[in-house]
Amino acid sequence: MKAITLFGLVIALSSISSAHGQDTTELNGIFTSLPDAGFEQHILVSPFNAGEGKAEINGENYLAGTMSSDDKLLLENYFFWKEGSLSKAHCLSFPTQPTTLIAEIAASNGDDATAVTTSYRTASAYLDKRNAETLFPLPKYKTRQVLCVSNEGKHFPQTSASIFFYNAQVGVIPMLKQ
């Protein structure tokens, strides 16, 4: 199941990059948190296909997709960063749940788990729909994780690195590419 999921993530990530016309080379590889980051993260990003793919975060498989300029602007606003801070960055978005958990959620709700976890887009749309149906829907970036790499090697606001990982539990974590 994990091998199938990882393969699907690679296909998904590849499709997002082509769909958005972005070069995702900067996003392929192994990323680790800086030693003084205060939280340990390890991310393995596989090559994308049409802007979608897969990643492994701390041993768990996730679907991933490249972020559009609108999504980057939304994240900048969420962080209260200056508009354009992410405009020249390559960024990936991941649901906060690993692929296996998304499949379990879908199956437990009587939905087709395989169809839901086919790609980042289908999984994200499913999770967004489920979130919207809750009594208190969460903002988008409470339900997503993000990995961004600066094209220009510049440090991002509030970080000490040109690469960062974000999730709602730990916030922004400076990263290194191995």
Side-chain angles (χ1 to χ4, degrees):
M1 177 72 175
K2 284 187 178 183
I4 292 170
T5 304
L6 182 57
F7 180 71
L9 181 59
V10 171
I11 291 172
L13 287 175
S14 299
S15 64
I16 290 174
S17 108
S18 299
H20 291 285
Q22 295 180 7
D23 175 17
T24 58
T25 306
E26 300 253 348
L27 295 168
N28 298 336
I30 299 170
F31 299 86
T32 58
S33 52
L34 293 173
D36 60 350
F39 191 83
E40 194 171 329
Q41 279 293 4
H42 303 283
I43 304 171
L44 168 63
V45 178
S46 302
F48 291 24
N49 181 14
E52 294 199 29
K54 295 184 180 186
E56 184 179 298
I57 302 174
N58 294 334
E60 297 275 358
N61 292 319
Y62 290 81
L63 295 168
T66 57
M67 291 175 62
S68 68
S69 55
D70 290 340
D71 285 339
K72 290 178 188 177
L73 182 59
L74 183 63
L75 184 61
E76 290 168 351
N77 290 332
Y78 183 75
F79 286 161
F80 299 105
W81 287 0
K82 178 182 165 189
E83 187 174 324
S85 298
L86 299 174
S87 65
K88 294 185 179 179
H90 295 293
C91 296
L92 295 181
S93 178
F94 316 87
T96 55
Q97 298 90 354
T99 307
T100 53
L101 182 57
I102 295 170
E104 289 173 17
I105 292 168
S108 71
N109 287 306
D111 298 319
D112 183 349
T114 304
V116 168
T117 58
T118 299
S119 71
Y120 168 77
R121 276 184 234 148
T122 58
S124 295
Y126 179 79
L127 293 172
D128 289 346
K129 180 180 178 232
R130 303 279 311 154
N131 181 45
E133 294 169 348
T134 64
L135 186 56
F136 299 105
L138 296 171
K140 183 173 187 171
Y141 288 102
K142 292 277 187 184
T143 64
R144 297 285 196 283
Q145 303 178 95
V146 174
L147 175 69
C148 286
V149 176
S150 171
N151 294 14
E152 303 170 326
K154 292 182 181 177
H155 289 186
F156 291 105
Q158 302 171 353
T159 70
S160 58
S162 60
I163 303 171
F164 75 86
F165 176 77
Y166 162 81
N167 75 24
Q169 291 177 325
V170 297
V172 175
I173 303 168
M175 305 286 284
L176 294 171
K177 186 172 183 179
Q178 301 297 312

